[in-house]
Structure formats: structure tokens, C-alpha cells
Amino acid sequence: MPTPQPNFLIVMADQLTPGALCAYGGRIARTPHIDALAGEGVVFDSAYCNSPLCAPSRGTFLYGLLPSRTGVYDNAAEFPAAIPTFAHHLRCGGYLTVLSGKMHFCGADQLHGFEERLTTDIYPADFGWTPDWEDFEARPSWYHNMLSVTQAGPCVRTNQLDYDDEVIFCARRKIYEIARERTRRPFCLVVSMTHPHDPFAIAEEYWNRYREDEIDAPRVTLGRDSLDPHSLRLRHVSDMDRMPVSAEQVRNARRAYFGAVSYVDDQLGLLRRTLDESGLADDTVTILLADHGEMLGERGLWYKMSFFEGSARVPLIVSAPRRFSPRRVAASVSLADILPTLLDLAGLGASADCGTPLDGQSLVPHLDGKGGHDEVVGEYVAEGAIAPIVMVRRGRHKFVHCPADPDQLYDLSADRDEVRNLATDRSMSDAVRTFRDEVAARWDLTTLHQSVILSQHRRRIVTAALAKGAPHPWDFEPYLDSSRRFVRNNRDLDDTEAAARLPRIS
């Protein structure tokens, strides 16, 4: 029988679009471990991030709150230390909470409820990547550009391979350590990789898993005159207009991306094998998800930062065969739902003592096959925008509103490629009016806009000041107490060897 409080293994990929996966209808990516997880688990076919950029998305994942309620607006915004994450709540409920890998924490608090953090982050913890909505035309050097696409191809090593290999090694070692403990708390282990995020370079082993003639082209190609204003802004901030790409470069980038997806799949396989070897698999709920998607050249766009399907949809698979029967869920859900789901599964109540209403709802009714909600609310207030962009996804429709742009309304049941904007269709005028009324009731977009501008201004001052004089970085520094590792004279040799052996011997 499953334990009353299950363990949680949460595997987060970075920039993994579900359309690339066979489990979601993709035809190219070779992902046997993800396929197996989907075959035994609950697959959410319409899962979304709430803000299609790394840090804001992860903030909502951790807090269960939208960026407008936490201030995690962009990739250089501070994660508030005074707002509890699911790691805080689970730790209060008796869990060991561990993070291995990327979480894009900015600010002095680099733990946010995790009792242990096994690696540093791949990205900086300071405010140096703060956007400037008041000087949109100037492209900062740290924005995405098209070198990730034009230089795509095979390699021997990359910064990202170095990082993720360490993330997986540390996570597997921690699982073995947990299994060897005599008295054990339930654990929540978050393993967060940087793949398949650009740059699109991958080791020969993974590049060669795909043939050039297997790689398909983007489904939707649109000229500049057909793009919405925000897409045009994204082309500017990512230097897409100044650095056009060839069909061969597009194919190479997509091939490298699929190779990186296979790399992620192999790491998932290693983690699941480690759970099996450690005897922990039966009592562990495994969750696979991503922080956002990747456009992969669709509509002439790359990366994320919009509410189009390629950017905002994410894979979400929950596997616990002793608890939930395999099924697929068509209703729209989001990363904001993860916190209440974890608390619900841990027996702590879907909202616990969060101190404020959450923006997500528990997925347990979906997992149990007993219905559940069908709604996602999103916000984007980061680079590429000049005013808040909000999204409501419900039923067959997606509505996107920005005070600076024309509305967008898509019927995703009839138009999965989002090529027909129904916002100006007379037959949809009532629906548009209803969505606009809902937006007005949910958000004060004028105040949010002012708050974003003020936050950006303050952080630029802090960044300028901290660049002068002696530096005191916030980047997390993992600590290993070598005085208690391997064989030391503070413990009997036989006891040391016996305690380290798995399975245990008497």
C-alpha cells in the first residue's frame, strides 16, 4: 500500500514544448522514458505555464501565485523571501525538501524553503538582467539573439552539458543517501535541468540519434505583415530581423533541440532507475513538467515570451501507479496548480495555511478521475513587452489582452495553429466582451504597469550601486562537509562501510 505521505520527485526541463514529445502527438523526438512515464501516468494535454519566461514561471510554480502578486516580473526580479513556497509548506509538514539544479532565484535568499540545495544555479542571482520598458528600442547584450540558431549543431561539451550532468549526478547521489538512512522523512526532490533550452548545441551522441531528413520544418510561416505587434517586438528584442536564418540553420537548430530532448529523456531514465534501485519508487509520485515551451521557428519566432501554444504550453505528467490509474486530462491546468496539488497529496490540505488565496487549484480531482477545473490565467510583464499582457484559457478558447495591442481570441479546437484571430469576428463579439469584462475585474493593468516600471527602475539603481566597490555576490555556493564523507576516524570503519552499503546488511 502507498505511504500516507508520498515522496515527490519533480523533474523540470527548461523550455520543453510538449509538441516535441511523442506522448503529445509529436513524431520525431525519441523519448522512451517519457513515453513510459506517460503510459503509466496521468497526462495533462492542456497544461500551461502562467508566465512564459524562466523566473516568472518558476515563481508561480513555487508560490502558486501570479507574478503580479509576488513581484517576480522577469528574469532579474527578486523572489520574495517572506512568501512561502511549496518547499516551506512541505517542510512544515515533515518533509525533507531538496533542490538540485536551476530555479533562477534572484536575490539574497537562495533556498526559499529548500532544506538542501545540491548545486549552484546556471544563471546569475543579481538584478543585472532587468528590462527597461522606458527604453524599449535599446537591445541589452543579455537578450536572446539568433546565434543560438545560426550556430546550432553538434559539439563535444557545452556549459549546459557540464551543468546538467552535475545536476543529475547530485540528485542521484541524494536519492541513494536518503535510501541509506535508518530513519527517513518523506522527501520532495526537485531536479531542474537547463536542457533543452537554447543554445541549440548538443553532444554528437544525441545529434546522431536523428537524421537530417527526419527533421521537419515549422508548420506555420508568417510574413512580418501578418504578425501581431507583440511578435514584432519579440523579433526586435531577439535580433531576429537583423539576423535572418536559413532553412538549413532552422533544421540544424530543430535537430539539436530534439537531441537535447533525448538527453533530458535519458536523465529522467537515470533518475527513475535510481528510485527503483533504492527501493523508493513505489512510494514516490514522479512529476515531469517544464517552465515554458519553445517556438522552434513557428510563426518565424524562437524561444518563448508569448502566449502562443508553442511558448506557453508545457508537458505535465504525474505518475504514481499505486495511486492513480493511467488517463489523459483534456481540461486546461497550469503550473500554479502544482503547490495546492502537492499539499493535497501530502495530506496538508490543498491550501494549507497559505495566508492568501492561491491562483491555482489542486489537480487531485483530475488525478482521481473525478473531474476538476478547466481554467488557466496568465500574465507576461517581462522583456519584449511594453505593457502587461494577460491571458485567459478556458474551454476551447484562449483570450489574450494587452492595453497596447489589439485583442487576440483563438478557438483552439478548430485552429490549433492560432492563425485565425477571432477577436474582430462579429459572431464572437459577445465572447470578446465577456472576456474583456473578466480582464477588467481580475486586473488593474494601469497599476500593474506602474509597479513594473518602478520595480525596473529600483533594480537598475541597485545594480549600478553593487557594481562599484567590493562585490558580494548572491550566487549560491554548495557546501560539502568533507569531514563526514567516505572514511573518516570519527566513526568505526565497519559501521561506516555498512551504513554506506545499499541495500543494508546487518
Side-chain angles (χ1 to χ4, degrees), residues 61-128:
F61 160 70
L62 289 162
Y63 294 122
L65 300 170
L66 293 171
S68 60
R69 300 182 62 198
T70 63
V72 186
Y73 297 140
D74 53 60
N75 278 345
E78 185 170 13
F79 282 60
I83 301 178
T85 67
F86 64 69
H88 288 106
H89 290 297
L90 292 175
R91 194 166 167 185
C92 284
Y95 275 76
L96 168 66
T97 53
V98 184
L99 170 62
S100 184
K102 172 184 175 178
M103 202 47 68
H104 222 308
F105 291 147
C106 291
D109 185 352
Q110 288 291 304
L111 291 173
H112 291 283
F114 288 99
E115 186 173 343
E116 297 181 34
R117 189 170 184 187
L118 308 181
T119 73
T120 191
D121 210 300
I122 192 169
Y123 288 155
D126 57 36
F127 301 153

Side-chain angles (χ1 to χ4, degrees), residues 223-243:
R224 280 185 56 88
D225 58 348
S226 300
L227 294 178
D228 62 282
H230 182 60
S231 293
L232 292 173
R233 290 193 295 269
L234 293 182
R235 291 190 61 82
H236 166 68
V237 299
S238 296
D239 222 13
M240 296 179 196
D241 292 325
R242 199 178 63 86
M243 299 179 67

Side-chain angles (χ1 to χ4, degrees), residues 8 96 315 321 456:
F8 299 114
L96 168 66
Q456 293 175 355

Side-chain angles (χ1 to χ4, degrees), residues 31 98 158 291:
T31 52
V98 184
T158 64
D291 56 350

Side-chain angles (χ1 to χ4, degrees), residues 195-493:
H195 284 88
H197 194 291
D198 62 289
F200 301 121
I202 195 63
E204 290 267 7
E205 172 192 352
Y206 294 99
W207 174 266
N208 291 333
R209 290 192 187 183
Y210 299 89
R211 301 190 315 272
E212 182 178 309
D213 60 6
E214 290 181 292
I215 308 304
D216 58 358
R219 289 170 52 88
V220 179
T221 302
L222 298 176
R224 280 185 56 88
D225 58 348
S226 300
L227 294 178
D228 62 282
H230 182 60
S231 293
L232 292 173
R233 290 193 295 269
L234 293 182
R235 291 190 61 82
H236 166 68
V237 299
S238 296
D239 222 13
M240 296 179 196
D241 292 325
R242 199 178 63 86
M243 299 179 67
V245 297
S246 67
E248 180 182 8
Q249 290 168 335
V250 169
R251 183 170 58 248
N252 287 344
R254 289 168 68 93
R255 182 177 178 181
Y257 182 84
F258 287 125
V261 172
S262 288
Y263 171 85
V264 168
D265 184 73
D266 279 1
Q267 309 320 304
L268 173 66
L270 286 173
L271 292 168
R272 298 196 75 202
R273 189 179 81 192
T274 305
L275 284 177
D276 284 335
E277 292 172 345
S278 302
L280 299 172
D282 286 346
D283 295 326
T284 299
V285 177
T286 299
I287 303 174
L288 174 71
L289 42 71
D291 56 350
H292 50 72
E294 159 64 56
M295 289 301 290
L296 278 180
E298 296 292 342
R299 314 173 76 90
L301 300 176
W302 294 85
Y303 319 131
K304 55 271 185 177
M305 302 178 283
S306 79
F307 282 112
F308 289 117
E309 291 288 278
S311 168
R313 266 187 70 213
V314 296
L316 176 57
I317 303 172
V318 181
S319 175
R322 301 177 74 189
R323 291 173 178 267
F324 311 118
S325 300
R327 63 173 54 86
R328 301 190 79 95
V329 176
S332 293
V333 301
S334 76
L335 296 184
D337 302 325
I338 298 300
L339 182 149
T341 302
L342 295 176
L343 302 191
D344 203 353
L345 291 173
L348 303 176
S351 60
D353 183 17
C354 295
T356 184
L358 297 172
D359 290 316
Q361 302 178 54
S362 174
L363 298 174
V364 169
H366 289 301
L367 296 172
D368 285 334
K370 298 177 180 177
H373 64 287
D374 176 24
E375 179 181 88
V376 176
V377 177
E379 303 171 346
Y380 187 73
V381 288
E383 49 257 42
I386 56 174
I389 304 171
V390 296
M391 182 271 285
V392 179
R393 173 77 170 94
R394 185 184 300 113
R396 61 192 297 156
H397 292 121
K398 178 197 291 181
F399 181 71
V400 180
H401 175 79
C402 175
D405 300 331
D407 289 335
Q408 297 176 72
L409 175 66
Y410 299 103
D411 181 344
L412 295 179
S413 295
D415 177 24
R416 69 169 179 153
D417 291 323
E418 300 171 288
V419 294
R420 186 183 177 202
N421 182 5
L422 301 176
T424 58
D425 191 314
R426 280 190 171 187
S427 67
M428 300 300 294
S429 58
D430 288 345
V432 171
R433 188 179 306 110
T434 299
F435 275 120
R436 287 182 68 93
D437 289 345
E438 180 177 347
V439 166
R442 282 184 180 271
W443 287 281
D444 179 346
L445 294 181
T446 299
T447 299
L448 176 57
H449 192 157
Q450 294 168 347
S451 296
V452 172
I453 295 288
L454 179 59
S455 172
Q456 293 175 355
H457 180 68
R458 286 171 169 167
R459 285 181 279 144
R460 287 197 300 275
I461 293 173
V462 171
T463 299
L466 296 186
K468 300 182 183 301
H472 297 280
W474 293 328
D475 304 285
F476 182 73
E477 191 72 38
Y479 173 72
L480 281 175
D481 183 358
S482 295
S483 71
R484 304 183 67 82
R485 301 180 69 212
F486 306 118
V487 177
R488 297 291 185 270
N489 283 324
N490 56 5
R491 192 174 189 180
D492 181 82
L493 177 61

